Amino acid sequence: MTYLMESAQEVHRLQAQASATSYAERLRLTGLRPGDAALDVGCGPGVITSEMLDVVGPHGRVVGIEPQAAHLAAARGLLAGRPNVELRQGALPETHLPADHFDYVWCQYVFEYLGEPGPALAELVRVVRPGGRVVVADIDGVGLWNWPFPEDLQEESQKLLAALRAARFDLHAGRKLFHLFRKAGLVDVRVHISPFYVAAGAVDARLREDWVIRFRTLRPLAEPFFGGAGPYDAFCERFLALLDDADTLKYAMVLTTEGVKR
């Protein structure tokens, strides 16, 4: 897995992003229960891992795995002193965890980075016990659903999408999960849709900074598709102006897919 967004600001961005939403309701909706043995794959700085601990309670436990050392260090700092949690460095598709072990497996914003998602999903299925739940949440079209959205800016956005596709980043990973779950043999497969963000008018400071960091981090990848630094900077400035526009709707969605292992 190649993580495109790694930068000096990435831990802060992920912490702010995860902290902007409460996940407890979605975790319970998709089957996490008190007393469960749960796994958080790609746990990042540990914000959702902390909420998972709250849901499973004192008789449950949570294991978090994360490939990026800086993110793992942030998670250890956040979760220091909390019982029933274990953090490990690791990544899909090989977690090196025991088979048929967890009651519930959660994985968010990882599959978008996987060129071959099948082996990763097979690993999640392997480590969950029969009757346990696999839950994967991912984006669908971030940055594309704006109105009004000038046609020439839409065309410029396609250059950024082309750069992401060249790096095997899947902006539509969320919509593909249902089919993957069915092919993997999971049953009782359900899909939940929720907002990644909604801004009726100008976006707030956190979301604007999130986009600034994204554009800065993606610069080396994107500039060749725009024909240099100048055109890329012009695109970023126009897109940020769109985010600041009080008369424009901006939104993006997350699809959360859950399934049960036979």
Side-chain angles (χ1 to χ4, degrees):
M1 185 183 88
T2 300
Y3 187 59
L4 302 180
M5 291 304 299
E6 194 55 50
S7 71
Q9 298 83 29
E10 184 61 359
V11 169
H12 169 74
R13 187 185 75 85
L14 291 176
Q15 287 171 329
Q17 182 186 89
S19 298
T21 303
S22 174
Y23 289 87
E25 182 178 350
R26 204 179 337 163
L27 293 167
R28 293 189 181 98
L29 176 67
T30 53
L32 186 62
R33 298 289 182 262
D36 275 355
L39 174 65
D40 184 4
V41 179
C43 66
V47 177
I48 300 176
T49 315
S50 178
E51 292 206 42
M52 293 174 74
L53 281 167
D54 292 338
V55 174
V56 302
H59 301 295
R61 63 185 182 87
V62 178
V63 175
I65 64 171
E66 166 60 39
Q68 305 296 324
H71 302 187
L72 198 60
R76 287 184 172 130
L78 177 68
L79 300 169
R82 296 203 63 174
N84 305 328
V85 60
E86 178 186 356
L87 298 173
R88 300 184 178 191
Q89 190 162 14
L92 291 172
E94 295 182 6
T95 65
H96 303 290
L97 292 166
D100 302 330
H101 186 72
F102 294 96
D103 302 300
Y104 178 98
V105 174
W106 169 270
C107 183
Q108 177 166 275
Y109 305 152
V110 172
F111 275 58
E112 61 201 62
Y113 293 101
L114 302 176
E116 296 293 338
L121 182 57
E123 177 69 356
L124 301 185
V125 174
R126 184 187 70 82
V127 300
V128 78
R129 66 168 178 79
R133 290 186 178 273
V134 174
V135 185
V136 179
D138 226 309
I139 58 172
D140 192 73
V142 172
L144 299 180
W145 315 129
N146 313 298
W147 191 262
F149 196 1
E151 186 173 344
D152 61 333
L153 186 57
Q154 291 186 51
E155 292 174 358
E156 288 291 290
S157 298
Q158 294 303 312
K159 298 176 183 177
L160 184 60
L161 300 186
L164 292 172
R165 285 194 295 270
R168 305 186 79 187
F169 179 89
D170 190 349
L171 198 63
H172 298 292
R175 69 178 61 175
K176 300 173 183 178
L177 293 170
F178 175 79
H179 182 71
L180 286 170
F181 273 48
R182 293 285 296 172
K183 289 293 186 181
L186 293 162
V187 297
D188 193 21
V189 180
R190 304 176 186 181
V191 179
H192 312 274
I193 189 166
S194 55
F196 181 51
Y197 62 78
V198 178
V203 302
D204 60 23
R206 182 206 65 81
L207 185 54
R208 192 183 198 281
E209 180 64 14
D210 187 285
W211 276 101
V212 168
I213 294 172
R214 287 173 185 269
F215 286 145
R216 184 185 304 136
T217 305
L218 292 173
R219 174 180 293 278
L221 174 69
E223 278 187 2
F225 288 82
F226 284 83
Y232 180 65
D233 287 340
F235 162 76
C236 294
E237 288 174 8
R238 288 196 64 199
F239 196 95
L240 291 172
L242 179 72
L243 297 181
D244 293 333
D245 189 342
D247 297 321
T248 303
L249 173 68
K250 285 77 63 170
Y251 69 96
M253 307 308 297
V254 175
L255 296 177
T256 303
T257 303
E258 59 167 304
V260 177
K261 181 176 178 178
R262 293 179 185 273

